[in-house]
Amino acid sequence: MKNFVKINSKIPSFKKEINVPGDKSISIRWVLLASKAFGKSKAYNLLESDDVKSTIKAMQNLGVKIKKKNNFYEIYGCGLKNYRNKKNITIDAGNSGTLARLICGLLSNYNHKVKIIGDESLSKRDFYRVIEPLKQFGVNISSRSGKLPVNISGNSDLRPIDFEEHKGSAQVKSSILLAALNTPGITTIKCPPSRNHTEIMFKNCLKIPIKIVKKKKYEIIQVEGLKNFRKFDYKIPGDISSASFFIVLTLLSKGSRLKIRNVNINPSRIGIIEILRKMNGKINLSNKRIYKGEQISDIIIESTKNLKSINCPKNLNTKSIDEFLIIFLLCARAKGISRFKGIQELRHKESDRLKMASKFLRMLGIKVKVSFDSISIYGKPDLILKKKYVVKNFMKDHRVFMMATIAANVFGGNFKIYDKSSIKSSFPNFLQILKGLGSKIN
């Protein structure tokens, strides 16, 4: 089967409604935490992507019983005590940084050796950021110069820590919080704000004693460990990261309107909506509600002619870290120069996304200036493409593939985009939904 798509024409105008798959961050966290709950937990609309499948397989390797029924998954948790499997094992995290980093915290009291490996992309990413705090807990953990494979053997005599996290990484924060579950006493984290699904689950689903004090530039989080929790069921809302590609597609498609139903609009995740609204994007939220502490909404988008550039406030960076690639694409059609600073974390994703974004935009004829932690994009409101373009060698980064696919649908040109299989990690039915809106994909 050929691992590329060809797109030779722009998408026609559309007026439709869609659903996007379940939120990946919540799906992975539900699997990990349900494995530690007492009893049988159920999840509906669990994202069935490679990253979530890797998480399920990891838990099964540890002896956790997991079943898929008609339209939901069941996990038979074992409580905070050690997992049922008493052997030394290897866990393959695939492409999932969330799984690889969070499971290190979860295994903090597992008294057997675990080797964590990943694919080529994940094996280049930094793991010192979780190794350092876990060593302070007393976890036996080592790596190959801060990269995978990571070797870990837990400690039944963990000690609580006070840790200051500077990167605004939700993965690091969550790894510490999961280790704290297995640790007596109170663990304290001081950190910049970042996505907070773990804290919300602790408070609203698990009833774990957690205290959060919000300051202007940071938060102080305290959690009390060794508190067992019971099973919890979850209806997982749609993923804003997946929705973001269709938000931008609609804004850039003349005469189009789209309603995306039942999307998670957690305030720590909706930087893209705040940014695009500042750029004159016509985006409205309707049918807002709260579910287990998470904010859910339908998102209504209309095509927008007069998009303007943005000097992006730094406080929106962590709220839109996974959506910057598709935001940069919109900037290519905006009037003026869009500037983003303090975004060096993009260099530590599945690929160096600052490098990939600048390379792609320049290929389209867009002027770009890039530094280690910033990018300036010189927009062309009349941008129309007519040449042939080949997109490949992007470390199989699923978001680069989807960005390029949206570009082909709104700017024209003849595109050949490789590594179609990359979308299996986060959004397996992306092309199916795109075709349903009228895209002609070969």
Side-chain angles (χ1 to χ4, degrees), residues 78-232:
C78 58
L80 289 179
K81 63 184 179 182
N82 271 327
Y83 291 108
R84 296 181 181 93
N85 190 342
K86 303 302 181 184
K87 298 179 180 178
N88 300 335
I89 62 171
T90 296
I91 289 174
D92 187 351
N95 187 249
S96 179
T98 302
L99 167 59
R101 289 175 176 147
L102 267 61
I103 203 168
C104 289
L106 203 69
L107 293 171
S108 55
N109 69 334
Y110 184 68
N111 292 320
H112 300 273
K113 293 180 181 179
V114 178
K115 183 178 183 179
I116 301 171
I117 62 174
D119 68 8
E120 180 185 3
S121 171
L122 186 58
S123 297
K124 293 180 179 179
R125 297 174 69 178
D126 171 44
F127 278 79
Y128 274 139
R129 56 181 63 190
V130 293
I131 290 172
E132 180 187 355
L134 292 178
K135 281 186 173 181
Q136 292 183 28
F137 276 103
V139 179
N140 300 305
I141 183 169
S142 61
S143 69
R144 177 181 56 81
S145 301
K147 305 288 194 298
L148 293 180
V150 165
N151 295 289
I152 182 169
S153 58
N155 184 347
S156 58
D157 190 23
L158 298 171
R159 53 185 177 272
I161 66 170
D162 290 349
F163 189 81
E164 189 166 347
E165 195 275 322
H166 300 283
K167 298 180 182 297
S169 169
Q171 293 178 358
V172 175
K173 175 178 64 175
S174 295
S175 185
I176 295 170
L177 289 173
L178 294 180
L181 286 179
N182 301 320
T183 306
I186 296 175
T187 292
T188 302
I189 312 168
K190 180 181 178 182
C191 56
S194 62
R195 64 180 63 180
N196 60 348
H197 302 301
T198 305
E199 298 96 297
I200 288 174
M201 277 193 178
F202 273 31
K203 181 178 179 180
N204 293 277
C205 300
L206 313 182
K207 310 303 180 185
I208 295 292
I210 185 170
K211 180 180 179 182
I212 303 171
V213 178
K214 296 186 178 182
K215 302 291 185 178
K216 187 174 182 179
K217 293 185 178 181
Y218 62 90
E219 298 175 344
I220 297 175
I221 303 170
Q222 293 185 317
V223 61
E224 186 176 353
L226 294 186
K227 299 292 182 181
N228 276 297
F229 49 92
R230 293 183 55 77
K231 64 179 183 177
F232 65 107

Side-chain angles (χ1 to χ4, degrees), residues 374-385:
S374 70
I375 188 170
S376 297
I377 302 167
Y378 294 68
K380 287 185 178 181
D382 57 350
L383 179 63
I384 297 176
L385 304 178

